[in-house]
Amino acid sequence: MESAEILSEHQLKATGCRIGILDLMIESGNALSENEIREKLESSFDRTTFYRSFKTLDEHGIIHKIVVDSQVVKYELDKSITNRKQHAHFYCKVCDAVQCIDVAEIPEVVVPKHYKIYEVELVLKGKCDKCSEMKSTRVQ
Amino acid sequence: MESAEILSEHQLKATGCRIGILDLMIESGNALSENEIREKLESSFDRTTFYRSFKTLDEHGIIHKIVVDSQVVKYELDKSITNRKQHAHFYCKVCDAVQCIDVAEIPEVVVPKHYKIYEVELVLKGKCDKCSEMKSTRVQ
DNA sequence: GTTCTTGCAAAATATTTGCAAGACG
DNA sequence: CGTCTTGCAAATATTTTGCAAGAAC
């Protein structure tokens, strides 16, 4: 699925920034931060523009915001685009990398009456393989 | 369990700010933000001091940092102190309230070899009962 | 008394908002 | 051309750091 197509399906204008973000995400297949996206994108846009684009794309369910820590925010394509099933996110506290982890299943959660759930996020925090090897590394 | 006792068990000095934070958390039994804690505490401390106290308490596993959104961070006592079992956190996108939700079980997650998990966080984002009633309210 | 903690000032970051100029359909 | 998007400047907010003064043990 092409970026322009995704946008038009949602009646969103195919602007440079949105196309850039989506192309990069489709290509990378991974959760990316604003910084990573801004650095990897050939054309440059203002940070404000990125934030506004993320917000719009998120509101339309095209991407999702994954907050692993106050200052570690990633964005990821919706599974309707990637064909990936629901998964958890592993956050390495040492190198700050975020990666998707398949989970047997994320449990059905029972919330009190009249509560509505829009998103379920399972975040695992720890140390990735590379950082586990380095014995000297301290967590936190 | 008293605050001073908890601190001494971890060889941490029983300072006013730490005692204040722990007392408040024990009393409230809920996840609290830095702002909530600062407002509710009779004695006042610098924000810097709160952040440093949270960090120390977190590093010692006495409290946990729950990040529901970039600017919505809460702190909660470890379950060894509250005797509460593992639970999820429901975040209302409208009123920003966070509340603990019992879950049947948080699944065992299989991570790749050599990965180490220190924390598992299940965050549910949606609309609480009060905010669901208000039809005019927009999410996000 | 020694070591750890606090307060203050200041910096670093992230994120949001208003408004005029520009791009999209 | 009308509407939505962008860039810029600036405001808000959070979080971190250095350093000297003060508290805990």
Side-chain angles (χ1 to χ4, degrees):
Chain A
M1 182 118 93
E2 257 187 43
S3 310
E5 198 183 336
I6 298 170
L7 291 169
S8 91
E9 269 181 18
H10 287 267
Q11 275 111 47
L12 290 175
K13 291 187 177 174
T15 68
C17 188
R18 290 173 187 167
I19 297 277
I21 292 172
L22 292 180
D23 279 352
L24 200 57
M25 285 183 142
I26 291 171
E27 183 199 317
S28 128
N30 220 319
L32 299 170
S33 68
E34 187 248 343
N35 271 310
E36 289 166 334
I37 292 176
R38 194 153 38 82
E39 283 165 11
K40 287 180 189 167
L41 228 52
E42 50 315 318
S43 11
S44 87
F45 298 95
D46 194 82
R47 298 193 71 177
T48 312
T49 304
F50 279 112
Y51 284 116
R52 284 195 272 229
S53 298
F54 291 138
K55 195 178 180 200
T56 304
L57 295 172
D58 190 11
E59 282 169 354
H60 285 260
I62 300 170
I63 67 173
H64 298 287
K65 189 179 178 183
I66 305 158
V67 182
V68 286
D69 201 359
S70 335
Q71 254 69 331
V72 185
V73 178
K74 301 262 175 170
Y75 298 93
E76 179 181 67
L77 286 174
D78 183 73
K79 57 181 188 295
S80 68
I81 296 167
T82 53
N83 295 318
R84 224 170 171 282
K85 55 181 176 179
Q86 194 167 29
H87 53 270
H89 290 104
F90 181 90
Y91 168 54
C92 175
K93 289 179 144 190
V94 179
C95 68
D96 284 340
V98 171
Q99 73 189 246
C100 304
I101 301 281
D102 287 318
V103 204
E105 57 172 334
I106 293 183
E108 273 304 304
V109 182
V110 183
V111 287
K113 215 173 177 180
H114 303 307
Y115 276 57
K116 287 173 197 158
I117 296 182
Y118 298 129
E119 293 151 60
V120 175
E121 222 172 89
L122 184 59
V123 177
L124 319 170
K125 299 182 180 179
K127 237 177 177 179
C128 73
D129 55 346
K130 286 174 193 159
C131 295
S132 294
E133 283 170 19
M134 295 180 285
K135 289 169 190 167
S136 57
T137 326
R138 239 188 15 209
V139 166
Q140 286 240 335
Chain B
M1 183 118 93
E2 258 186 43
S3 310
E5 198 183 336
I6 298 170
L7 291 169
S8 90
E9 268 180 17
H10 288 267
Q11 274 111 45
L12 291 174
K13 292 186 177 172
T15 68
C17 188
R18 290 174 188 167
I19 297 276
I21 292 172
L22 293 180
D23 279 351
L24 199 58
M25 286 183 143
I26 291 171
E27 183 199 316
S28 129
N30 220 318
L32 300 169
S33 68
E34 186 249 342
N35 272 310
E36 290 166 334
I37 293 176
R38 194 151 39 81
E39 283 164 11
K40 287 180 189 166
L41 228 51
E42 49 317 315
S43 13
S44 88
F45 298 94
D46 195 81
R47 299 193 70 179
T48 312
T49 305
F50 279 112
Y51 283 115
R52 284 194 272 228
S53 298
F54 291 139
K55 196 179 178 196
T56 304
L57 295 172
D58 190 13
E59 283 170 354
H60 285 260
I62 299 170
I63 66 173
H64 297 287
K65 190 179 178 184
I66 305 159
V67 182
V68 286
D69 201 359
S70 335
Q71 253 70 329
V72 185
V73 179
K74 301 263 176 171
Y75 298 92
E76 180 180 66
L77 286 175
D78 183 73
K79 57 181 186 298
S80 68
I81 297 167
T82 54
N83 295 318
R84 222 170 174 282
K85 54 183 180 180
Q86 194 167 29
H87 53 270
H89 290 104
F90 180 89
Y91 169 54
C92 174
K93 289 180 144 188
V94 178
C95 68
D96 283 341
V98 171
Q99 74 188 245
C100 303
I101 302 280
D102 287 317
V103 205
E105 57 171 335
I106 294 183
E108 273 302 304
V109 182
V110 183
V111 287
K113 214 173 178 179
H114 304 306
Y115 276 56
K116 287 172 197 159
I117 296 182
Y118 298 130
E119 293 153 59
V120 175
E121 222 172 90
L122 184 59
V123 177
L124 318 170
K125 299 182 181 178
K127 238 177 178 177
C128 73
D129 54 347
K130 286 174 194 159
C131 295
S132 294
E133 283 168 19
M134 296 180 284
K135 288 170 189 165
S136 57
T137 327
R138 238 187 16 210
V139 166
Q140 286 238 337

